[in-house]
Amino acid sequence: MKISLHHQIASLPQALIVPVAQNTDLESAFSFVAEKTQAPFELIKSDFKAASKEVQTLYMEEGQENKRLFLLGLGEKPAVKDVLAAFRSFVFNRKSNLPPDLGIDFLHTTDNGHTIPWMEAAVNGILLGLYDIGLYKTKKEAGNDQAFNDNDASLHLYVSSSQAKAAKAAIDRGVALAHTQMEIFDLVNAPANKKTPQTMAEWAALSGAKYGYDVKVLNKEEIEAQGMHALLAVNRGSENPPTFIIMEYKPKDGTVLKKVGLVGKGVTFDTGGLSIKPSTNMHYMKSDMGGAAAVMGTMEMAAKLRLPLHLTAVVPATENSVDAKSIRPGDVIGSYDGKTIEVIDTDAEGRLILADGLAYTARNFKPDVMIDLATLTGSCIRTLGTYAGGLFSNNDELAAELLAAGQLTGERLWQLPLWDDYKREIKSDVADLKNFSGNPAAGAITAAKFLEAFIQDHPAWAHLDIAGVAVGDSEFSSQKSATAFGIRLLICYLENLIAKTNSTV
Ligand code: BES
Ligand code: MN
Ligand code: ZN
């Protein structure tokens, strides 16, 4: 897609979108639309209320040509996530009916200081709206060949000349982000027969080569040599060997403000192991690498944006499968950290592989801040639903910064406690600790307490349980599908961290 910036609407594109926020000053947008379409101002005003995702189609004439004008409602006091949702939905629902020449009018949007982030969200939403989930369909869905989902479509953005520079940067970000997010959609939506721990490693290697960061992959022998016994234990039942993916990004010019270590749960399919899951929703367990996908996408975006940070991302990747070789409930295993673990439930596998990922990161990278993301517990879904990820942290400042980034991006988090009282739930009689208490109450919290035992006393660690938000029901697919939750959140967090560090040095 070709994207261009204009400071006035000299000649009309074949279709023009005029985004309008509800209850703000609609005068300038409506007078412009009335003039272009010759529809009376009062009629426009009475027929279009600018509710979220509301669309009013009008027609314009230029020379011999008839063109479309779409009023697009953004709802009341739209946040970035609302603008994104409106554009994504608009394009998703009309993609094969939109002409290959589309414009967005930001000249008549009342400027309330938000239009630059809105531009990023609009471009991001438009590209995500074109995402095609039908990865394995042998026939493309029939549509208009002269449509906007064509490769050589054009998108024109009309913005005031005073905003030109900021608008250009916002648009570039929206595009870069969308491409990474769609890669992550593909990865998370891919079924487990097309996505193994090896595939995950190949994705990282390719991304690293493309965007200039280092990727090292430990194979099974190297994982054994490192003594990552918890990852190996989970992998025992699987035909596919595990991988341990280590990504590392440093800015080329050497300006490093902070060192951040990310860890992502990379279970490419979770059957539950011998503590097998019921079949009804088991197919969704192909997305049990949503935490890994989020940290991989964040790594790629950070490299694209050349953030002045030293960033590492570690992904222990494996299937959790059923086999004669599988670990059994009651088995006692070791770990990279050295602690012994009694495996009460083989379905609590995420915390086992994260134990090795966290200990490895803390020991070998000693980051200033360590954050892990994981589709860790059904308990977190029962607690927060699909509306927010669970946040656990031993550092109040870090927690506050992550909560703020969640609020800004709409990838929301909600904090749950990490009180030591919960520790007794994971005390084992026979080993250093056990992976499950047998008590489903507060399961997301006891899982977090388990992870905490492996952070090597790191003073600024956060765990994000994204089980409810990594995939979601949406208008974009009939079944749950990937959201790429975590990338916008973490990039926003990292950028705020950079700004804060800059202002205090
Ligand atoms: N991957 C699951 C958590 C999950 C459940 C993610 C549903 C997305 C949707 C995790 O490995 C798991 O099985 N957790 C168990 C832990 C329990 C056995 C202590 C759970 O939450 O039931
Ligand atoms: Mn599980
Ligand atoms: Zn799992």
Side-chain angles (χ1 to χ4, degrees):
M1 183 185 307
K2 293 184 291 282
I3 304 184
S4 53
L5 268 185
H6 311 266
H7 303 314
Q8 61 193 47
I9 309 179
S11 71
L12 290 166
Q14 288 165 350
L16 181 67
I17 305 172
V18 181
V20 185
Q22 202 168 25
N23 297 341
T24 51
D25 181 7
L26 308 173
E27 296 286 319
S28 80
F30 287 178
S31 348
F32 166 74
V33 172
E35 177 205 319
K36 287 292 173 196
T37 61
Q38 279 155 33
F41 183 98
E42 285 307 322
L43 270 187
I44 297 170
K45 200 168 166 180
S46 79
D47 287 357
F48 178 74
K49 300 297 176 208
S52 170
K53 300 183 188 178
E54 182 183 353
V55 178
Q56 175 74 30
T57 311
L58 295 149
Y59 299 94
M60 318 176 276
E61 224 180 271
E62 191 179 55
Q64 297 301 320
E65 265 189 282
N66 292 307
K67 299 182 169 182
R68 294 187 185 89
L69 186 147
F70 298 105
L71 280 164
L72 176 61
L74 301 178
E76 202 169 350
K77 295 207 181 82
V80 161
K81 75 170 184 352
D82 305 309
V83 178
L84 204 163
F87 277 92
R88 184 172 176 189
S89 172
F90 176 87
V91 168
F92 179 79
N93 288 313
R94 288 177 181 71
K95 49 188 157 194
S96 59
N97 286 320
L98 288 174
D101 180 50
L102 184 65
I104 310 175
D105 174 20
F106 281 109
L107 290 170
H108 300 90
T109 312
T110 329
D111 194 346
N112 40 21
H114 301 305
T115 31
I116 294 293
W118 285 11
M119 289 173 203
E120 175 182 334
V123 170
N124 187 249
I126 282 186
L127 291 171
L128 296 187
L130 293 174
Y131 174 69
D132 182 5
I133 199 170
L135 265 180
Y136 307 103
K137 286 190 194 292
T138 53
K139 283 198 198 88
K140 283 263 159 238
E141 265 165 52
N144 171 0
D145 337 312
Q146 282 276 298
F148 187 65
N149 51 0
D150 227 50
N151 274 333
D152 43 40
S154 305
L155 180 64
H156 308 275
L157 272 94
Y158 304 97
V159 308
S160 73
S161 48
S162 66
Q163 291 182 314
K165 204 169 158 221
K168 168 89 175 67
I171 292 159
D172 288 349
R173 278 176 71 98
V175 173
L177 185 62
H179 287 140
T180 295
Q181 287 171 310
M182 290 192 283
E183 290 268 334
I184 296 305
F185 288 170
D186 280 350
L187 201 57
V188 175
N189 290 333
N193 66 331
K194 309 277 185 194
K195 172 180 67 193
T196 64
Q198 188 55 38
T199 323
M200 300 282 288
E202 283 160 13
W203 188 97
L206 219 73
S207 166
K210 208 163 161 193
Y211 299 107
Y213 61 91
D214 286 336
V215 178
K216 204 167 118 198
V217 178
L218 307 187
N219 62 23
K220 190 171 177 185
E221 289 67 46
E222 292 162 323
I223 292 168
E224 283 166 352
Q226 288 284 336
M228 296 179 174
H229 301 295
L231 172 59
L232 289 163
V234 174
N235 182 254
R236 280 187 61 87
S238 172
E239 279 277 292
N240 297 310
T243 57
F244 190 85
I245 309 165
I246 304 162
M247 292 157 271
E248 183 164 16
Y249 160 81
K250 278 185 201 159
K252 297 259 181 311
D253 64 3
T255 38
V256 170
L257 295 169
K258 282 269 166 160
K259 208 162 150 184
V260 177
L262 303 175
V263 182
K265 170 179 172 181
V267 172
T268 55
F269 196 82
D270 182 11
T271 64
L274 293 182
S275 315
I276 197 164
K277 287 184 181 294
S279 60
T280 323
N281 283 315
M282 202 202 272
H283 61 288
Y284 286 127
M285 286 301 117
K286 66 180 185 181
S287 61
D288 207 17
M289 32 58 75
V295 307
M296 289 158 82
T298 302
M299 194 65 170
E300 180 171 291
M301 253 330 266
K304 281 185 183 178
L305 294 171
R306 300 181 212 283
L307 297 185
L309 285 170
H310 182 180
L311 191 61
T312 61
V314 153
V315 168
T318 180
E319 273 172 24
N320 185 21
S321 300
V322 185
D323 188 81
K325 291 204 182 91
S326 296
I327 43 166
R328 292 148 296 229
D331 282 2
V332 175
I333 63 171
S335 63
Y336 179 80
D337 163 276
K339 291 191 181 73
T340 55
I341 305 164
E342 183 186 9
V343 180
I344 298 295
D345 193 312
T346 65
D347 198 10
E349 86 297 342
R351 63 197 74 181
L352 298 178
I353 69 169
L354 285 171
D356 284 354
L358 285 164
Y360 182 91
T361 297
R363 244 190 227 169
N364 296 286
F365 294 122
K366 302 189 172 55
D368 299 312
V369 173
M370 184 160 75
I371 306 172
D372 75 78
L373 282 83
T375 49
L376 205 61
T377 67
S379 165
C380 191
I381 310 179
R382 291 190 293 277
T383 306
L384 298 172
T386 55
Y387 306 97
L391 164 67
F392 302 84
S393 183
N394 59 1
N395 183 300
D396 291 343
E397 191 180 344
L398 173 60
E401 288 164 1
L402 285 165
L403 286 168
Q407 211 51 48
L408 280 168
T409 55
E411 294 189 344
R412 276 185 304 203
L413 298 172
W414 195 255
Q415 192 172 6
L416 295 169
L418 256 185
W419 297 313
D420 274 339
D421 309 59
Y422 293 94
K423 243 163 120 173
R424 52 191 281 265
E425 301 270 341
I426 50 170
K427 249 196 198 125
S428 165
D429 290 331
V430 298
D432 294 333
L433 69 176
K434 60 187 177 192
N435 76 337
F436 181 45
S437 62
N439 172 12
I445 303 172
T446 50
K449 286 310 276 184
F450 182 91
L451 298 180
E452 192 188 31
F454 294 90
I455 62 173
Q456 319 295 301
D457 294 320
H458 195 287
W461 158 73
H463 157 58
L464 313 188
D465 191 334
I466 60 168
V469 287
V471 293
D473 291 314
S474 71
E475 62 201 287
F476 311 116
S477 55
S478 64
Q479 295 218 310
K480 288 183 195 301
S481 63
T483 59
F485 183 102
I487 302 177
R488 288 173 55 242
L489 170 76
L490 288 176
I491 291 295
C492 175
Y493 161 75
L494 293 174
E495 290 187 324
N496 289 345
L497 180 68
I498 293 163
K500 192 182 96 179
T501 314
N502 269 330
S503 70
T504 54
V505 287

